[in-house]
Amino acid sequence: MGTLVFGVPLKGSFALIMLLSLIFLFAGMSLGILISIVAKSQLIATQFAMIQTFLPSYLLSGFLFAIGNMPPFVQAVTYAVPARYFVEILKAVFLKGSGLKAVSFQVFLLAVYGTIVFVAANRKFKKLIM
């Protein structure tokens, strides 16, 4: 949409953006699965997901407000928001044309987060079954 609607040129690899988006989606889907396992009802799951994911991702990822302009305490909190790393990846690959090597640390952190949340969801689900 950025290229079609706003004319922003894609300087990096489209395939790399798609691959890295899969890692971010894995992390997000894992968190969604964990929330749905823990929540007692659909309403609670929806509200918790909005509070846990959408609002922090929108406000603390660097998408809407520059992280450098936030108070130091809030800057420290942004490290716990996976969307922060994805926004950094998109800025580097989409706008600067950077490769995988330049964003490998952010990719690593997203993969670790997704794996931890997926394992937690898997363990919680197994406890519910047994």
Side-chain angles (χ1 to χ4, degrees):
M1 292 303 296
T3 56
L4 296 174
V5 176
F6 300 110
V8 178
L10 171 64
K11 299 212 177 189
S13 167
F14 181 75
L16 181 61
I17 290 174
M18 291 298 110
L19 176 68
L20 300 179
S21 296
L22 286 175
I23 296 170
F24 179 69
L25 289 174
F26 169 72
M29 293 295 287
S30 297
L31 182 61
I33 291 168
L34 180 62
I35 290 171
S36 66
I37 290 170
V38 172
K40 303 272 187 226
S41 70
Q42 183 179 1
L43 177 65
I44 293 172
T46 303
Q47 290 177 346
F48 188 71
M50 286 294 285
I51 292 169
Q52 184 69 27
T53 59
F54 181 72
L55 292 175
S57 295
Y58 191 65
L59 298 174
L60 301 176
S61 66
F63 174 71
L64 191 60
F65 305 109
I67 294 173
N69 294 339
M70 296 178 185
F73 172 74
V74 178
Q75 287 181 16
V77 172
T78 64
Y79 288 104
V81 179
R84 172 200 170 120
Y85 305 109
F86 189 62
V87 168
E88 289 177 11
I89 289 169
L90 288 178
K91 285 179 182 178
V93 176
F94 196 96
L95 298 176
K96 297 177 187 173
S98 301
L100 183 59
K101 188 174 183 179
V103 294
S104 60
F105 184 67
Q106 289 85 0
V107 172
F108 172 74
L109 291 174
L110 274 178
V112 167
Y113 173 82
T115 302
I116 290 171
V117 174
F118 183 77
V119 168
N122 193 15
R123 287 186 179 168
K124 185 70 175 172
F125 186 67
K126 285 182 181 179
K127 285 181 183 179
L128 289 175
I129 293 175
M130 295 180 181

